Amino acid sequence: MKVLAINGSPKANGSTYSALRYMAERLAEAGIETEIINIGKGPVQGCTGCNGCDTSEDGMCVFKDDISAIAKKVNAADGLILGAPTYYGGIAGGAKSALDRLFYMGADLKGKPAAAITVARRSGGEDTFHQLNSYLTLSGAVIAPSTYWNVIHGNSGEEIMRDTEGLRILRCLCESMTWLLRMIEATKASVPLPEMKRDAWMNFIR
Ligand SMILES: Cc1cc2nc3c(=O)[nH]c(=O)nc-3n(C[C@H](O)[C@H](O)[C@H](O)COP(=O)(O)O)c2cc1C
């Protein structure tokens, strides 16, 4: 089983990466492989709402950068972790641009365990956490629970390793992701995925 972890920080080795690496180590202890990829290092083209992904043959974004390749990795993974630093009480800009495009393409997460984490120096992390969760709930993912909001505190990789409660939240999150991955693997032959057909679309225009 393989989990893909997305680091939405412009820093490839910053706090968010350290939190994801900590999670990768916990998952490895349970025999689960994790690949960490970086998407936050700009410039990242944002979504223009052109709907080109909807009409193209391969369903991929019209902008030819790494995001389509990452979409394929998301679709191939058994589970997903979204990580992004908190900037002004929300998702850091580069990560927001990348995630809008990634998820507008229709990431295949139906029935897959997923989780969002954010790192903040001090405040605003809960809003970022809820924003990140929106990508997951709207994509049919099964959100892995933990024991508090998945907000880790610190201004560097070294500082977050001193947020012992934050590390506990991440450890519990890995335990629940492991449990979900194993449950889904054990029951996939006998319990079908829900259909979740997108058969109604209403723009509230009169
Ligand atoms: C532009 C910018 C905005 C930030 N806004 C916030 C904020 O609203 N709340 C907060 O607690 N920390 C804020 N921070 C601090 C970062 O969240 C913190 O340094 C975090 O550890 C960065 O993670 P990274 O090393 O993975 O990029 C901000 C940092 C920057 C550069």
Side-chain angles (χ1 to χ4, degrees):
M1 282 182 287
K2 185 167 173 181
V3 168
L4 186 71
I6 295 180
N7 173 19
S9 168
K11 294 177 188 147
N13 290 301
S15 313
T16 310
Y17 172 78
S18 298
L20 293 174
R21 195 188 53 197
Y22 179 84
M23 290 186 75
E25 287 165 4
R26 302 291 75 74
L27 290 169
E29 286 164 4
I32 295 161
E33 184 192 345
T34 305
E35 180 185 357
I36 304 176
I37 54 169
N38 300 305
I39 60 166
K41 202 169 168 65
V44 185
Q45 169 68 50
C47 182
T48 60
C50 71
N51 289 326
C53 53
D54 212 19
T55 51
S56 70
E57 236 167 60
D58 62 358
M60 292 292 140
C61 184
V62 296
F63 296 114
K64 300 303 169 204
D65 56 15
D66 292 347
I67 305 297
S68 294
I70 293 167
K72 287 177 188 159
K73 277 181 181 279
V74 169
N75 293 346
D78 300 301
L80 180 70
I81 304 167
L82 290 184
T86 292
Y87 278 10
Y88 289 95
I91 301 171
K96 174 88 170 74
S97 294
L99 293 175
D100 284 352
R101 284 176 53 213
L102 188 59
F103 283 85
Y104 205 64
M105 274 187 257
D108 178 15
L109 288 176
K110 195 162 75 174
K112 291 184 188 176
I117 66 155
T118 187
V119 180
R121 186 189 68 80
R122 188 172 179 88
S123 303
E126 280 85 0
D127 285 343
T128 312
F129 174 57
H130 295 311
Q131 289 167 23
L132 288 167
N133 270 338
S134 293
Y135 293 105
L136 304 176
T137 55
L138 272 61
S139 305
V142 181
I143 308 288
S146 187
T147 45
Y148 211 66
W149 291 277
N150 302 341
V151 182
I152 319 306
H153 289 97
N155 223 12
S156 66
E158 187 270 324
E159 279 189 8
I160 69 145
M161 286 300 145
R162 288 193 271 138
D163 177 12
T164 50
E165 184 170 346
L167 297 181
R168 181 259 282 170
I169 293 163
L170 295 181
R171 178 175 47 79
C172 294
L173 184 56
C174 289
E175 287 171 12
S176 76
M177 274 201 94
T178 301
W179 179 73
L180 282 168
L181 282 162
R182 289 179 180 157
M183 287 267 286
I184 289 164
E185 180 67 20
T187 57
K188 70 180 177 195
S190 54
V191 183
L193 282 172
E195 193 179 7
M196 296 171 79
K197 202 170 164 188
R198 291 170 184 257
D199 54 0
W201 192 262
M202 177 67 207
N203 289 345
F204 294 97
I205 293 167
R206 298 285 184 275

